[in-house]
Amino acid sequence: MPENRPVPDDSGRVPLTAARAVSVFGISVVGFMTANLVPVMIVALTGDLGFSVTGAGTLMTVALLACAASCLATSRWAARSGRHAVARAGLALTALGFGAAALVPSVPVAVAGVVVGGLGAGGAVSAGGAALGALRNPDRASGISGFANRAIVSVVLFVIPVLGAGTGSAFGLLAGLALAALLTAGWLPDRPAPEAAATTATTAGASAAAPATTSRATTVTGIGLLVCFALWALSEDSLWAVAATMGAEQAGLDETGMGLVLSLSTLGGLIASALVGLAGPRLGRTVPLAVALVAGGVLKLLAGTVTDPGWYMVVVIAWNTIYMLAFIYIVAVAAALDASGKWSAPVLGVYLIGSSFAPVLGTALSAAAGYPVLGVVLAGMTFVLLVPLVLISRRSVRVEAAARPVPEPGFPQAAIV
């Protein structure tokens, strides 16, 4: 009896194996961890090296912008044939820069090290993001990536205070993780072979010279996604930047309550990412994204008006959980638009650009107009972005479907005896 071989899910995309999971998700997490560790890095710089809070914050903003610029500068190379070199160089610079900041008690060395570490982290982000596009089932892969990010960051944030929140732990742990991830860079999946994509496009009835995934419409869609994601990051992180002061001034939330909010928000993000990873394509992509964006906008409105500390905690925790759902699905859209990682490589870079300016917008707007107006403005941004993001998501579904090879006609396997 002829062998019944399964048809690949996507042209050129590869299944998720243990080695690929460790490499893709680990490198992505290490690259993005600079943004996650900003609060403890600021504490380390002020406590061990005598930086002012403003000076430490400025340095970390420069590091984040360097990370974003590096991610965008290397994303095209990572999406083509250079993702392994980009990953190795980025992780090496991350380990070198943050390692120097951890080991050498000098302000000039710390400044140079943090900036170099940020540049290296951007390369790791683009390489990991590009590799994400090569995996089958972008929704599940993005969900697992989000879960890995939240889980590892939670462990690191727990370990750093235990070791002492100084430069040695805050920067040294990240340098060590970068070295560990460097050992896995060779496991990153390559971009799909161009001839495979062309063959699939021809089989599906499209012209090999102009496959659907590289069409002008898809390019415009990808650019639109990057712009929308940066603006969405600005709206989300502007609220997060003032969440603690808003909770204290508007709802009377004390430090213990805010600490509980941070912990439960992390737990909510873990649950959300785990659910997306387990559900995979069964829930679809566009409808869950639309629901998450609508719910997120409503919760922003509520956050600006709630005055009871208990309800404020509930709203902020729910908003953080919904935020993670929307984040995962937007990254999945980027991965689905092109298997080479053309859009998933820079997507986290543009997020960092939007995030870098969020504290300025959040603090300035809340100081000038108050928290209720801040909630209205940020919710309005979300509702406006809802329309293009839903349209882009629908486009990604069509592109992904067009990339699937069509089985050759023949006798049903069950009829062959």
Side-chain angles (χ1 to χ4, degrees):
M1 183 173 66
E3 183 181 359
N4 185 10
R5 296 179 179 176
V7 177
D9 291 338
D10 296 287
S11 176
R13 298 182 192 263
V14 296
L16 181 63
T17 63
R20 290 176 184 138
V22 170
S23 182
V24 175
F25 304 145
I27 290 173
S28 298
V29 169
V30 170
F32 208 64
M33 194 171 287
T34 304
N36 291 314
L37 296 185
V38 164
V40 295
M41 287 180 173
I42 289 176
V43 170
L45 290 169
T46 55
D48 285 4
L49 296 177
F51 278 78
S52 66
V53 174
T54 302
T58 301
L59 177 58
M60 293 314 304
T61 296
V62 172
L64 290 180
L65 289 174
C67 181
S70 174
C71 176
L72 296 177
T74 59
S75 60
R76 179 171 294 186
W77 188 19
R80 292 179 177 176
S81 58
R83 68 186 54 167
H84 295 94
V86 170
R88 291 188 177 100
L91 291 166
L93 285 176
T94 302
L96 176 65
F98 290 127
L103 298 174
V104 182
S106 165
V107 171
V109 171
V111 171
V114 169
V115 174
V116 169
L119 285 170
V125 169
S126 68
L132 185 67
L135 299 175
R136 294 178 187 170
N137 196 334
D139 303 302
R140 175 168 290 153
S142 183
I144 297 173
S145 179
F147 182 85
N149 184 291
R150 284 294 177 111
I152 294 174
V153 169
S154 298
V155 172
V156 172
L157 288 174
F158 174 78
V159 170
I160 287 177
V162 173
L163 298 176
T167 54
S169 59
F171 297 112
L173 274 176
L174 182 49
L177 288 172
L179 287 175
L182 182 60
L183 301 176
T184 72
W187 300 343
L188 286 174
D190 290 316
R191 64 172 292 181
E195 59 271 16
T199 301
T200 302
T202 304
T203 305
S207 168
T213 54
T214 57
S215 68
R216 181 175 299 178
T218 303
T219 299
V220 172
T221 301
I223 294 172
L225 175 66
L226 297 184
V227 173
C228 289
F229 199 34
L231 293 173
W232 183 78
L234 178 62
S235 72
E236 296 294 310
D237 287 356
S238 291
L239 181 59
W240 184 244
V242 299
T245 55
M246 183 164 61
E249 296 175 6
Q250 177 177 281
L253 193 66
D254 58 17
E255 292 183 1
T256 302
M258 198 61 209
L260 184 60
V261 167
L262 293 174
S263 301
L264 293 180
S265 294
T266 300
L267 178 60
L270 282 171
I271 294 172
S273 54
L275 289 175
V276 176
L278 290 172
R282 287 190 290 272
L283 297 177
R285 181 180 306 141
T286 303
V287 172
L289 175 59
V291 171
L293 290 173
V294 170
V298 171
L299 289 168
K300 287 177 187 175
L301 282 173
L302 292 175
T305 57
V306 172
T307 57
D308 178 78
W311 278 112
Y312 182 80
M313 291 175 62
V314 170
V315 168
V316 172
I317 292 168
W319 165 66
N320 267 280
T321 304
I322 293 296
Y323 153 83
M324 194 62 189
L325 279 175
F327 183 95
I328 289 170
Y329 277 112
I330 294 174
V331 173
V333 169
L337 279 174
D338 196 300
S340 71
K342 181 179 181 179
W343 305 112
S344 58
V347 73
L348 293 181
V350 300
Y351 180 92
L352 286 175
I353 290 177
S355 179
S356 298
F357 294 99
V360 176
L361 176 63
T363 54
L365 189 55
S366 59
Y371 296 120
V373 173
L374 174 69
V376 170
V377 171
L378 298 183
M381 290 177 66
T382 302
F383 293 141
V384 170
L385 292 171
L386 168 67
V387 176
L389 284 172
V390 166
L391 294 176
I392 291 169
S393 179
R394 292 181 63 185
R395 171 73 182 177
S396 76
V397 173
R398 292 196 298 270
V399 169
E400 189 181 8
R404 293 192 183 100
V406 179
E408 296 182 3
F411 293 104
Q413 292 292 339
I416 300 176
V417 293

